[in-house]
Amino acid sequence: MTNENPVAIVTGASSGIGRAVATRLAADGTTVVAAARRADRLAELAASAPAGRIEPCELDVTDHAGVRAAVDDVVARHDRVDLLVANAGVMPLSRLDAGLVEEWDRMIDVNVRGLLYGIDAVLPHFTRAGSGHVVTVASVGAYAVSPTAAVYCGTKFAAWAITEGLRQESPPGIRVTTVSPGVVTSELAEGISDPLAQAAMTTYRAHAIGPEAIADAVAYAVSQPAEVDVNEIVVRPVRQR
């Protein structure tokens, strides 16, 4: 970000990549509104940061009105919002013949609608300011489908497509980035209820990198000069092919 005293909103900030991104941005001098559903985790995160650098915001990204109200509140208090890191996501993998429709719906709600609601909330403010940056945390699943991950990969391809569409539609002052992580240490796999998918994840996640690697990628993208738009970054463990 090129503005002085920038303000960022990071969703899914209570753990994993979101927590690492919020921590890194705050260390770099950004005021971070850390948004997630788990208020206790957010309070602990805020307490661990320099005073006032991280503000907790209890938020469910599937609540359209709630997301819009949260963003408007940030602008009302800080007179600006410069960055949205749309990181919130879930990954309850399963084969299609498992028929876990409620879990599919949850992935679509969080991974796709949650992203759209965030974009809808910040875009009017970015447009009025003539500047802003949206960073979507997608996945290598946006580029390749694997068994048990059809729906998840579908949501991450949608996240990539939506973000690329936003890039093409946005005026030059608004920058847009997709960061696609490979296997990262996180709580995502803990939401898998399907036994076959759980077993597959044991092998797949044997070599994971820390979420700080993704935070570094986000920090790189947002720290570029105003005329530089870093559109896509893929970060994966060297053992992941």
Side-chain angles (χ1 to χ4, degrees), residues 90-104:
V90 294
M91 192 185 71
L93 304 182
S94 65
R95 287 172 53 94
L96 292 172
D97 56 14
L100 300 179
V101 177
E102 290 184 1
E103 293 186 357
W104 303 347

Side-chain angles (χ1 to χ4, degrees), residues 60-62 88-90 105-115:
D60 182 347
V61 297
T62 68
V90 294
D105 287 344
R106 180 65 178 161
M107 278 191 280
I108 292 168
D109 286 344
V110 176
N111 300 356
V112 181
R113 290 192 176 94
L115 169 61

Side-chain angles (χ1 to χ4, degrees), residues 71 81 84 117-131 134 166 169-171 174 176:
V71 172
V81 60
L84 169 67
Y117 295 165
I119 291 171
D120 177 64
V122 299
L123 203 53
H125 298 292
F126 287 178
T127 301
R128 280 193 292 272
S131 65
V134 173
L166 176 64
E169 293 175 3
S170 295
I174 297 175
V176 182

Side-chain angles (χ1 to χ4, degrees), residues 66-87:
V67 172
R68 183 175 287 177
V71 172
D72 289 348
D73 176 68
V74 169
V75 175
R77 290 186 296 107
H78 294 283
D79 197 34
R80 66 191 306 152
V81 60
D82 301 285
L83 170 66
L84 169 67
V85 181
N87 165 76

